[in-house]
């Protein structure tokens, strides 16, 4: 049997989604007659009708209804692959994805150094709380939190995560926090994407509270929790590397500093397999390794 043309398949898929030759033609920027002819060509190639051509409307035949889903899936894969190829860095562009607070607190202060060293690489930074599907989205590299490694991806751990307790000095002057039992006097700020953080920290540090903790406001991102702590709204649990400047300049203090939690999760650099030797990938990978070593 002869192979059907790609144009005929695209015409069938569009007509099958819209159940209209006219709307398919608008989408494909051709005439309705052209769509009709290409679909008829495909039907002759397959040896079976794909549509019932009724008065002013179309219906899929059983064959057409069975054929449409795999055709749609195949065309979407082709579109995704095309987007991915066209989005690959050409030595002058690199798209990165990372968590919002990581981008603000760790990456952005260091980014000028990368631009100084590699002025020919334009970096595009996006933020996402989820794991980006690098096979389907035009992102070259991601810094993600987890335990890794991930199947089908090149990955390398950059940073460990140690969670510490922080608060505004003024709050601690008003309500001293010198021993674990003093926690009951404070409002505990909640990180909504890590709802078990306080329970995990208490378990990891061996602190047992006789009273039920008093939870305060909930925040989605660490930068919000950090600002809330600076403004005296309560105690926050945050990764230590995100608040080093605040601790150094006295905007935050670390009570119970001997009760730190080292988490199993870390911050990983990931990209798709097979891209290890691309110049922009190599440049960023070497640079971010150096930055991670210097910040640990």
């Amino acid at each position: 049997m002869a192979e059907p043309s790609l144009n005929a398949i695209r015409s069938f898929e569009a007509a099958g989604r819209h159940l209209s030759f006219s709307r398919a033609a608008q989408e494909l920027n051709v005439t309705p007659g052209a769509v009709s002819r290409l679909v008829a060509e495909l039907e002759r190639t397959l040896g079976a009708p794909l549509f019932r051509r009724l008065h002013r409307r179309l219906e899929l035949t059983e064959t057409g209804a069975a054929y449409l889903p795999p055709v749609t899936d195949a065309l979407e894969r082709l579109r995704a692959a095309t987007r991915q190829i066209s989005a690959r860095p050409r030595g002058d562009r690199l798209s990165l994805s990372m968590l919002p607070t990581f981008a603000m607190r760790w990456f952005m202060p260091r980014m000028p150094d990368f631009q100084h060293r590699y002025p020919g690489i334009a970096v595009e930074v996006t933020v996402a709380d989820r794991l980006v599907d690098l096979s389907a989205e035009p992102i070259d590299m991601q810094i993600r939190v987890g335990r890794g490694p991930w199947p089908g991806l090149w990955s390398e751990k950059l940073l460990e995560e140690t969670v510490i307790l922080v608060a505004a000095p003024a709050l601690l002057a008003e309500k001293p926090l010198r021993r674990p039992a003093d926690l009951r006097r404070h409002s505990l700020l909640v990180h909504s994407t890590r709802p078990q953080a306080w329970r995990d920290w208490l378990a990891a540090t061996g602190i047992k509270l006789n009273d039920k903790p008093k939870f305060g406001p909930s925040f989605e991102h660490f930068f919000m929790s950090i600002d809330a702590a600076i403004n005296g709204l309560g105690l926050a649990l945050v990764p230590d590397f995100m608040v080093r400047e605040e601790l150094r300049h006295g905007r935050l203090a670390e009570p119970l500093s001997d009760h730190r939690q080292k988490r199993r999760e870390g911050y990983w650099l990931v990209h798709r397999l097979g891209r290890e030797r691309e110049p922009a990938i190599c440049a960023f990978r070497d640079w971010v390794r150096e930055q991670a070593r210097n910040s640990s």
Side-chain angles (χ1 to χ4, degrees):
M1 183 180 72
E3 292 290 333
S5 72
L6 182 58
N7 282 338
I9 291 175
R10 289 176 63 232
S11 296
F12 161 70
E13 192 271 338
R17 276 189 289 107
H18 296 296
L19 292 179
S20 166
F21 288 152
S22 296
R23 292 177 63 188
Q26 290 175 355
E27 177 181 314
L28 299 174
N29 199 28
V30 296
T31 66
V35 172
S36 178
R37 286 192 296 275
L38 285 166
V39 169
E41 172 191 312
L42 179 61
E43 289 174 320
R44 287 193 296 273
T45 301
L46 297 175
L50 300 172
F51 292 104
R52 297 185 186 91
R53 292 154 173 82
L54 306 175
H55 182 61
R56 293 188 178 179
R57 64 190 178 95
L58 295 175
E59 280 186 1
L60 287 163
T61 63
E62 290 185 8
T63 301
Y67 192 44
L68 182 62
V71 166
T72 300
D73 180 66
L75 287 176
E76 183 52 41
R77 287 174 180 270
L78 182 60
R79 294 184 191 109
T82 301
R83 289 193 297 268
Q84 189 175 63
I85 293 296
S86 63
R88 284 183 178 177
R90 296 172 296 278
D92 60 351
R93 182 162 83 58
L94 190 65
S95 58
L96 308 171
S97 174
M98 58 193 74
L99 292 169
T101 305
F102 185 89
M104 294 171 61
R105 295 267 166 172
W106 192 89
F107 180 72
M108 296 305 292
R110 293 169 172 81
M111 187 175 174
D113 181 75
F114 181 82
Q115 295 288 259
H116 175 72
R117 294 197 207 181
Y118 302 98
I121 301 176
V123 177
E124 298 176 358
V125 182
T126 60
V127 295
D129 290 315
R130 59 189 171 80
L131 296 182
V132 172
D133 183 356
L134 298 179
S135 67
E137 300 187 42
I139 299 295
D140 299 309
M141 308 179 83
Q142 182 182 28
I143 298 176
R144 63 172 58 170
V145 177
R147 297 186 181 180
W150 290 270
L153 294 175
W154 180 96
S155 59
E156 178 179 308
K157 184 183 281 189
L158 294 174
L159 293 166
E160 303 284 351
E161 183 177 280
T162 299
V163 173
I164 65 172
L165 181 69
V166 296
L171 177 64
L172 297 176
E174 179 186 345
K175 300 177 182 179
L177 179 51
R178 299 188 180 94
R179 55 196 178 93
D182 294 334
L183 284 166
R184 59 185 171 80
R185 306 175 60 208
H186 288 271
S187 179
L188 310 184
L189 303 178
V190 177
H191 188 59
S192 61
T193 59
R194 295 187 184 182
Q196 304 301 316
W198 282 103
R199 188 194 68 179
D200 294 344
W201 179 79
L202 291 169
T205 56
I207 295 175
K208 297 183 188 291
L209 296 180
N210 294 327
D211 300 329
K212 187 176 180 180
K214 183 175 70 174
F215 293 108
S218 175
F219 300 95
E220 182 180 8
H221 299 295
F222 277 125
F223 69 83
M224 301 168 71
S225 299
I226 293 168
D227 283 350
I230 290 172
N231 285 285
L233 289 179
L235 308 178
L237 291 175
V238 297
D240 62 341
F241 68 83
M242 291 184 179
V243 290
R244 285 175 182 165
E245 288 299 308
E246 286 73 16
L247 292 171
R248 183 178 297 117
H249 294 288
R251 292 191 294 273
L252 286 174
E254 184 188 358
L256 306 181
S257 58
D258 54 342
H259 290 78
R260 292 182 155 213
Q261 176 198 6
K262 188 170 184 178
R263 284 168 50 87
R264 293 178 62 187
E265 292 82 357
Y267 291 76
W268 294 68
L269 179 67
V270 299
H271 60 73
R272 289 192 305 112
L273 291 173
R275 304 191 63 181
E276 292 84 351
R277 297 186 179 181
E278 294 181 17
I281 296 280
C282 291
F284 184 81
R285 189 173 59 227
D286 292 343
W287 174 83
V288 79
R289 282 172 176 161
E290 176 187 322
Q291 298 300 312
R293 284 196 302 268
N294 292 340
S295 68
S296 59

